[in-house]
Amino acid sequence: MAHLYVIAGHGAGDCGAVGYGYTEAERVRALASRLSALGGGNVTVADMNRNWYADNGIMSLNIPKDWQILELHMDSAGASAKGGHVIIKEGYNPDQYDTALSNFIGNFFPGRANKIVEKNDLANVNRAAYKGYSYRLLENGFITNSGDLSKFNNRTDELARGILSAFGISAIALVASTDQIDGAIKSGGTFQDKKDVFGSVSYQVHARDIGWACWQSDGRMSGTTGQNRRIEAFRLIPVGETDVVVHIKDVGDKEYKNISKDTILGTTGQNKRIEAIKITGKDTPYIYRVHQKNIGWTDWTFNGSWAGTKGKGLQIEAIEIMAAKFLVNPHVQNRGWLDNMK
Ligand SMILES: [Zn+2]
């Protein structure tokens, strides 16, 4: 049995390939989470907030040389291209894990002529070889093929078990985890824009199984709706001095004074939903609203007031924030803009 070290491809603002409302970065993180949940202590997942290609992380990685690195991706092409395969370094012979993995993935996602492909031009393939790590990159079908994608989405645990089995790891029986408290994530629903969109007021959410999503701004939705996917934290690039209070599961109200763009408002890696937020701009007032489980969108809320409910155990799933000064409709200004925003 091997110890598996899982790198989820893309991330940290790079959403990877997209298809049918899904992004590669989010999907491979969901898979990595299941590998971790099912593989228990035999699986280590590399920090999913990072982009391990862009930040050159393998060059400074320090893990045991007998750990097996697996980097997760999904392919993209025209809608008819389908199938999964394993990529290893050119000139290397596939080891027992590569062979078992390619046999599994070729059966699970059929369609590729070659189940193992050797490459000499992929950065992480070469970096791992340089460092002497045993590494392979797994393409989990095509996100652009509806058949591959729905198989990925609907049979994620089966996919995870097959991958683990290729490394000799048998999936553990699942015990109740904190995720069960918020219920299972659903497929479908609405996912935010898949590219960074910065503006006058920019913000970014950290969502369950996704990590940091792309930045959004000026009233654009950050997060998801209809997926039962909690937000665990967010960041906000402040416009002048800004205080934020977040109501966090098990923690209660947590106040962050004079935030910076790097202040993590909430928690990461602790499976704790946020349930309500209060943003107070000292220089520029904000307005904001949240999409909450079982409730939907709240009304727009003015600077310094709570959006969301506290004490009902309901996760926030999406947020929208903008500066109040950008409301320029004179009709609204005559009446007071709060009325208009309902
Ligand atoms: Zn990729």
Side-chain angles (χ1 to χ4, degrees):
M1 182 178 66
H3 187 100
L4 195 57
Y5 187 79
V6 179
I7 295 175
H10 307 279
D14 167 14
C15 298
V18 298
Y20 305 99
Y22 288 89
T23 71
E24 180 187 1
E26 180 274 325
R27 289 287 77 199
V28 297
R29 277 160 179 72
L31 176 58
S33 295
R34 297 313 295 160
L35 288 169
S36 174
L38 293 166
N42 299 311
V43 175
T44 301
V45 177
D47 185 354
M48 293 203 287
N49 295 322
R50 292 172 56 177
N51 178 333
W52 284 76
Y53 161 75
D55 71 12
N56 204 10
I58 289 176
M59 291 309 284
S60 52
L61 188 61
N62 186 14
I63 58 174
K65 284 285 156 70
D66 61 347
W67 284 18
Q68 300 297 317
I69 302 180
L70 175 67
E71 181 164 338
L72 302 172
H73 285 260
M74 297 182 78
D75 259 324
S76 88
S80 62
K82 64 183 191 126
H85 71 289
V86 173
I87 295 171
I88 62 173
K89 175 141 178 80
E90 186 175 80
Y92 280 29
N93 288 321
D95 64 14
Q96 54 170 318
Y97 306 119
D98 301 327
T99 303
L101 186 62
S102 65
N103 284 332
F104 165 72
I105 209 70
N107 284 326
F108 193 86
F109 292 117
R112 301 279 302 211
N114 297 313
K115 293 183 291 188
I116 300 184
V117 175
E118 298 180 20
K119 294 247 191 191
N120 66 4
D121 59 350
L122 290 179
N124 279 352
V125 175
N126 291 335
R127 289 164 183 162
Y130 175 81
K131 291 284 299 275
Y133 288 125
S134 178
Y135 168 104
R136 73 282 304 148
L137 188 153
L138 179 64
E139 295 280 8
N140 292 278
F142 282 75
I143 198 169
T144 41
N145 178 267
S146 62
D148 277 2
L149 178 62
S150 43
K151 196 179 276 185
F152 187 109
N153 291 346
N154 299 326
R155 295 165 63 187
T156 312
D157 277 12
E158 196 184 328
L159 174 58
R161 285 193 176 89
I163 293 169
L164 293 171
S165 166
F167 292 89
I169 301 169
S170 45
I172 57 173
L174 277 182
V175 294
S177 74
T178 50
D179 275 354
Q180 256 102 53
I181 294 167
D182 292 331
I185 288 178
K186 299 176 195 157
S187 57
T190 306
F191 195 85
Q192 66 163 76
D193 279 356
K194 290 129 204 145
K195 60 179 193 304
D196 288 331
V197 185
F198 290 97
S200 301
V201 177
S202 303
Y203 42 92
Q204 175 193 42
V205 303
H206 189 280
R208 173 179 169 188
D209 285 355
I210 293 176
W212 290 108
C214 292
W215 287 88
Q216 298 299 311
S217 56
D218 300 336
R220 290 177 186 83
M221 182 181 92
S222 185
T224 65
T225 62
Q227 298 186 353
N228 193 39
R229 188 188 294 283
R230 65 170 170 264
I231 289 174
E232 298 168 355
F234 68 105
R235 288 192 280 226
L236 167 66
I237 301 177
V239 183
E241 186 181 345
T242 302
D243 297 342
V244 176
V245 189
V246 181
H247 190 78
I248 306 168
K249 175 183 177 287
D250 299 337
V251 175
D253 291 352
K254 174 123 201 242
E255 183 164 30
Y256 304 85
K257 291 264 188 204
N258 197 12
I259 63 164
S260 76
K261 68 175 174 45
D262 298 317
T263 308
I264 293 174
L265 307 163
T267 64
T268 62
Q270 298 182 35
N271 299 325
K272 291 188 195 304
R273 63 179 170 258
I274 63 174
E275 300 175 5
I277 64 173
K278 179 166 77 172
I279 305 172
T280 307
K282 303 291 177 63
D283 307 309
T284 299
Y286 301 89
I287 59 169
Y288 41 94
R289 62 177 188 162
V290 301
H291 190 278
Q292 196 150 28
K293 180 175 183 169
N294 299 345
I295 292 177
W297 287 106
T298 62
D299 289 335
W300 285 96
T301 305
F302 185 64
N303 204 52
S305 301
W306 284 102
T309 63
K310 293 199 266 181
K312 292 186 178 166
L314 297 176
Q315 65 196 4
I316 290 176
E317 299 172 351
I319 62 176
E320 296 177 350
I321 308 170
M322 52 186 160
K325 70 179 179 182
F326 295 113
L327 289 170
V328 293
N329 184 337
H331 177 66
V332 174
Q333 287 176 342
N334 288 341
R335 291 192 344 215
W337 55 269
L338 260 179
D339 290 333
N340 182 63
M341 298 313 294
K342 297 229 162 134

